Amino acid sequence: MVNDVITAREIDVSVRLGKLELAYPTLMGSGCYGSGEEYAPFVDLSKIGAVVLKSVTRQPRLGNPTPRLVHTPSGMLNAIGLQNPGIEWYLEHDVAKFAQRPCTIIGSVAGFSVDDYAYTCEKLAARNEIKAIELNISCPNVASEGETFACDPNLTANVVRAARATTDKTLIVKLSPNVTDIASIAREAERAGADALAVINTVRGMAIDVDMWRPRLGNVTGGLSGPAIRPIAVLAVYEVARAVKIPIVGQGGIETAGDALEFFLAGASAISIGTANFTDPRVPLRIVDELRAYLAKRGLRSLQQIVGKANVGFANPHQYEGDEG
Ligand SMILES: Cc1cc2nc3c(=O)[nH]c(=O)nc-3n(C[C@H](O)[C@H](O)[C@H](O)COP(=O)(O)O)c2cc1C
C-alpha cells in the first residue's frame, strides 16, 4: 500500500544517552573535532549529534614531544599527550564560546588520580554549555604505579563513582581496548553509575623509522585509530553489549554507513567519528543520510530497531518497543 511506504526523511535516527537526547546518532570523537569551530565552514553542525571536546585535565599539559602523528596502513598513530590548558583556564576562556555552537557539546575529562577526575568533572559539568561528560579513563593512575584506570575494574569503579557523585548530567565512560576482558570493565563502570559507555579508545601501537633506527613518535608509543582498528572495535562493542544494559557509543575506524551499521548491529545505540573527519568533514552527514536510506529500504521506522540485531546475547533494553524484526 502506498501509505506504508516510509520515506528516508521520516526515519527516526534519534538516540537517548542517559538524560541526554540527541536528534542524530553521530558524535564527533574527542580530540578529533576541536569544539566544531574549524568544521563549521564545511558542515552544518546542527545536523550532527554532538561534539565531544578534547579531554581536559586539572593542570595544564604541554603534551608529548614531537612527532605526535604517524600515518600507518589504514590508520593513524597519535601520541598528543593530552595537551590542554587545564580546567581553570579552559573554564575562563573557552567554555563560554560553546554556547554559540548549534550542536550539543559534551565535555571530556581526563586525570591522573581519582581526585583529579572528580575535581575536573565537577567544575566542567557545572557549566550550562556542557550537556554531558565523557570520562577518558585511559590515563595512568599515579597512586597505583602508573596502572591505567581503564585496565583495572577496581580503578574504573573508583573513578566512575567519584565522578558520578559530582554531577547528575549524563556520564559516558570511555573504555580502552588495551585490556584482556573489556566486558568486566564495562560491568564495573555500569555498576559505579555510568549512563553510557564509549567503546573504544585507541589501540596501543608503535612505528619505527628504519633509516634512523628509532621510534617514529616522540613518545615512542601511541594510540592507533582509523579503519585499521574497526574489527577490534566491533568485537569490543559486541562483547560489551552482552555485559551491560546502558547504551554504547561505538567508535573506531568508522568512515561509511556500512561501517556504522556494523556497530549498531553489534549493539551500539550511537556512534562516534574521529579520524575520518580529518580526510572528509562530510562523513558524519553522509552516514546519517545513508543510514536513513538503508532503514527506509527495509521498511524500518527507527534506527534503534536494529541495535544489537547481530548480537544474540544482547542485553540492552533500549530497543524500539514496536519491534517486530
Ligand atoms: C589525534 C587524536 C587525538 C585524540 N584525543 C583524544 C582525547 O583527548 N580524549 C579521548 O578520549 N580520545 C581521544 N582520541 C580518541 C578518539 O576520540 C577516538 O576514540 C579514537 O580515535 C577511535 O575512533 P576513530 O578511529 O574514528 O578515530 C584521539 C584520537 C586522535 C586520532
Side-chain angles (χ1 to χ4, degrees):
M1 271 186 348
V2 178
N3 283 349
D4 286 335
V5 175
I6 300 162
T7 66
R9 281 163 144 240
E10 290 173 298
I11 308 284
D12 176 10
V13 291
S14 67
V15 60
R16 195 184 164 95
L17 304 172
K19 289 179 181 158
L20 184 70
E21 302 227 17
L22 299 175
Y24 299 94
T26 38
L27 283 71
M28 303 303 109
S30 175
C32 301
Y33 215 75
S35 64
E37 192 174 6
E38 292 84 357
Y39 285 89
F42 312 105
V43 181
D44 179 354
L45 294 181
S46 70
K47 296 216 165 93
I48 62 169
V51 173
V52 184
L53 302 168
K54 172 78 187 165
S55 298
V56 66
T57 51
R58 188 170 186 166
Q59 303 296 342
R61 288 178 57 83
L62 289 172
N64 287 326
T66 56
R68 292 169 169 187
L69 289 180
V70 172
H71 291 280
T72 61
S74 300
M76 198 179 84
L77 269 176
N78 92 79
I80 309 294
L82 292 173
Q83 182 181 341
N84 78 89
I87 186 67
E88 313 298 348
W89 198 96
Y90 194 66
L91 292 175
E92 197 174 326
H93 298 278
D94 277 343
V95 177
K97 287 187 280 185
F98 306 152
Q100 287 144 28
R101 302 281 182 281
C103 57
T104 300
I105 300 285
I106 297 177
S108 169
V109 169
F112 299 90
S113 68
V114 170
D115 196 42
D116 268 1
Y117 276 99
Y119 181 88
T120 312
C121 184
E122 181 167 27
K123 293 226 156 195
L124 194 55
R127 293 292 294 257
N128 284 339
E129 299 89 341
I130 305 292
K131 304 301 179 207
I133 297 286
E134 185 170 278
L135 278 193
N136 170 8
I137 59 169
S138 304
C139 299
N141 176 10
V142 285
S144 70
E145 293 170 350
E147 192 181 358
T148 309
F149 284 96
C151 292
D152 179 273
N154 292 327
L155 290 178
T156 298
N158 291 346
V159 77
V160 175
R161 215 174 290 120
R164 176 75 288 165
T166 70
T167 181
D168 288 335
K169 288 186 180 169
T170 291
L171 190 63
I172 305 168
V173 178
K174 187 162 182 178
L175 304 186
S176 167
N178 306 311
V179 296
T180 315
D181 180 14
I182 197 168
S184 64
I185 310 280
R187 264 186 231 107
E188 286 307 314
E190 180 181 48
R191 218 172 281 151
D195 295 304
L197 299 171
V199 181
I200 55 175
N201 209 323
T202 55
V203 177
R204 287 190 76 216
M206 181 177 182
I208 292 181
D209 184 324
V210 296
D211 293 318
M212 301 300 286
W213 294 7
R214 63 177 185 226
R216 292 178 65 191
L217 285 169
N219 187 55
V220 180
T221 64
L224 186 63
S225 63
I229 69 168
R230 195 167 54 239
I232 297 169
V234 171
L235 171 61
V237 168
Y238 188 84
E239 289 183 339
V240 169
R242 298 159 89 94
V244 300
K245 294 195 165 59
I246 50 179
I248 297 167
V249 183
Q251 59 204 280
I254 298 176
E255 292 188 320
T256 67
D259 302 339
L261 282 162
E262 287 195 54
F263 282 82
F264 289 116
L265 291 166
S269 299
I271 53 160
S272 175
I273 300 156
T275 305
N277 286 303
F278 298 149
T279 44
D280 185 354
R282 292 183 184 85
V283 162
L285 270 52
R286 196 180 311 130
I287 286 180
V288 170
D289 286 346
E290 290 176 14
L291 285 176
R292 284 194 153 127
Y294 173 95
L295 295 164
K297 198 169 155 195
R298 285 159 182 79
L300 299 168
R301 290 180 184 278
S302 157
L303 177 61
Q304 298 304 315
Q305 278 180 274
I306 66 163
V307 171
K309 286 298 183 193
N311 197 335
V312 280
F314 183 61
N316 194 319
H318 297 281
Q319 272 180 292
Y320 183 71
E321 281 165 10
D323 190 357
E324 303 109 29

